[in-house]
Amino acid sequence: MGFLLPTFDEATERRFDVWRASRLNDALLAPVAIGGLAMFSFLAWDWLLDPTQFLACLLIRGTGTIIMMACAWKLLRTRATPLQLRWLGMLAVSAGTVSIALTQFLLQDGFLYGPAGLALFPTVSAVVVTRARQVPLLNLPGFAVVVALLLLKGVEGFALFNVIAFVGTGVFASGILALALERTARCGFQLELRLEEQAHIDPLTGIANRRRLEQEARDEVERARRFNRPLSLMIMDLDHFKGVNDRYGHPFGDKVLRTLADLGRANLRQTDLFARVGGEEFVVLMPETTAEAAAQLGERLRGLLAATPINDGEHVVTVTVSAGIAAHGPDAPTMEALMAMADKALYEAKAQGRDRVVIGPGGVG
């Protein structure tokens, strides 16, 4: 069914399952509880069809209702994982289908007059699955019990056809409904992913913004602390950028920013995070990197930018960049401390004449 549905990579598919399960967890409490009560209310139908079996039907429907209410209680009290939600859904749907099938088995001509009831829970099973392909599996226990009871009862002819037609129609309708619901959910999730990406991307340069940097930096700092691994941070600031803007105009200044962003994208490693955090200020977060290795990378970017004339058709200008580097350690144990130390190093680079890379307060790379 992939051709009918938006698809994602493996990691994003797992995120989708968790995302969908979270929303189903909130939405299923009322339907499961109401379904249990609705099934119990059909005791009136049992009485009208065969009063002699009322107590047995009361026991069967009461047990099914209790199981479904227990599922609803579980949904209320806990946040179910996708796998837990699948088992809860199977239990609730099976309890409903089996309860109805057992009462019809006991009642005289129950399978003849009540097959529509057997289609109820297979049909609504569409709302309790995270994926449409789970519908047949979800209904398998209930369907197996229905088949077993039909064989025990010796149902044949029109009554047998009627039951199979209603149950099959219920499962088929559930599959179609589940497919539509999954498609809607996937489109909604896809939109959230786009909005999430936009919230973490600098619109001018297309690289990460300050929000994403802060989120990922805290995780990397914690990882470096926990496993005693190297981590470096570099702040880069374009030299005399205000003068470039004033002399050549803001569109040219934007081209300068995009040029540095493109050079960073092309030359940084996949594990590095490159972000624009202010007007002409950029940050590179480098896991598993010592200050010396970070300085080498900074020198490379600095040299590439200095050797890249920026041409907008009217002007050809060469710009430079200064950089300050800080390494995670006792003197910089947090994201804030890393930024402050790198900022001091950047200030030192500016003070020494710009167009250079400085490691730590006072140390020249």
Side-chain angles (χ1 to χ4, degrees), residues 77-294:
R77 301 293 295 179
T78 62
R79 303 298 300 178
T81 65
L83 181 60
Q84 291 171 336
L85 190 67
R86 194 179 309 166
W87 285 109
L88 281 173
M90 181 180 290
L91 182 59
V93 169
S94 298
T97 301
V98 170
S99 296
I100 292 173
L102 286 173
T103 56
Q104 292 186 8
F105 177 80
L106 291 176
L107 297 172
Q108 184 177 359
D109 294 328
F111 284 119
L112 179 62
Y113 294 112
L118 289 171
L120 173 62
F121 287 98
T123 302
V124 300
S125 65
V127 302
V128 302
V129 294
T130 57
R131 302 195 180 218
R133 65 171 182 248
Q134 296 167 1
V135 166
L137 179 63
L138 197 75
N139 286 283
L140 185 59
F143 184 74
V145 171
V146 170
V147 171
L149 293 176
L150 287 172
L151 293 173
L152 285 173
K153 188 86 170 181
V155 177
E156 56 185 15
F158 175 76
L160 178 62
F161 172 80
N162 215 21
V163 170
I164 293 174
F166 270 102
V167 174
T169 300
V171 174
F172 177 77
S174 180
I176 298 299
L177 177 58
L179 189 63
L181 291 173
E182 184 181 349
R183 180 174 178 80
T184 301
R186 283 179 175 272
C187 289
F189 181 66
Q190 198 172 45
L191 177 60
E192 282 201 15
L193 289 178
R194 290 198 191 107
L195 294 174
E196 180 182 297
E197 182 179 357
Q198 290 173 7
H200 292 85
I201 296 296
D202 175 58
L204 176 63
T205 61
I207 62 175
N209 61 12
R210 177 182 288 272
R211 177 183 297 178
R212 182 178 171 191
L213 171 70
E214 290 176 348
Q215 290 178 353
E216 295 200 18
R218 295 185 195 285
D219 292 339
E220 289 295 342
V221 166
E222 175 59 23
R223 192 179 72 85
R225 182 197 65 79
R226 179 176 299 178
F227 300 106
N228 194 30
R229 303 302 301 167
L231 172 68
S232 295
L233 182 144
M234 176 168 62
I235 299 180
M236 307 180 74
D237 189 89
L238 288 161
D239 298 325
H240 305 295
F241 183 71
K242 183 178 184 302
V244 172
N245 264 339
D246 292 343
R247 184 172 181 180
Y248 302 107
H250 288 282
F252 188 86
D254 290 346
K255 187 174 181 65
V256 172
L257 294 171
R258 286 193 291 267
T259 298
L260 179 54
D262 291 342
L263 287 172
R265 258 194 299 257
N267 292 278
L268 291 171
R269 302 164 301 181
Q270 288 187 343
T271 53
D272 300 328
L273 177 65
F274 192 31
R276 180 183 174 215
V277 296
E280 67 269 29
E281 193 169 83
F282 295 76
V283 170
V284 186
L285 183 69
M286 294 168 277
E288 300 293 333
T289 307
T290 64
E292 290 74 17

Side-chain angles (χ1 to χ4, degrees), residues 323-324 342-352 358:
D343 198 52
K344 288 180 181 179
L346 173 64
Y347 180 81
E348 183 69 20
K350 297 283 189 182
Q352 291 181 17
V358 170

Side-chain angles (χ1 to χ4, degrees), residues 234-237 298 321-325 342 345-346 349 355-359:
M234 176 168 62
I235 299 180
M236 307 180 74
D237 189 89
V321 67
S322 301
I325 293 172
L346 173 64
D355 190 24
R356 66 193 63 222
V357 178
V358 170
I359 302 175

Side-chain angles (χ1 to χ4, degrees), residues 313-354:
E314 296 182 15
H315 312 96
V316 179
V317 179
T318 299
V319 297
T320 61
V321 67
S322 301
I325 293 172
H328 178 266
D331 294 331
T334 65
M335 163 65 176
E336 292 76 13
L338 272 173
M339 288 289 288
M341 183 177 288
D343 198 52
K344 288 180 181 179
L346 173 64
Y347 180 81
E348 183 69 20
K350 297 283 189 182
Q352 291 181 17
R354 296 181 170 82

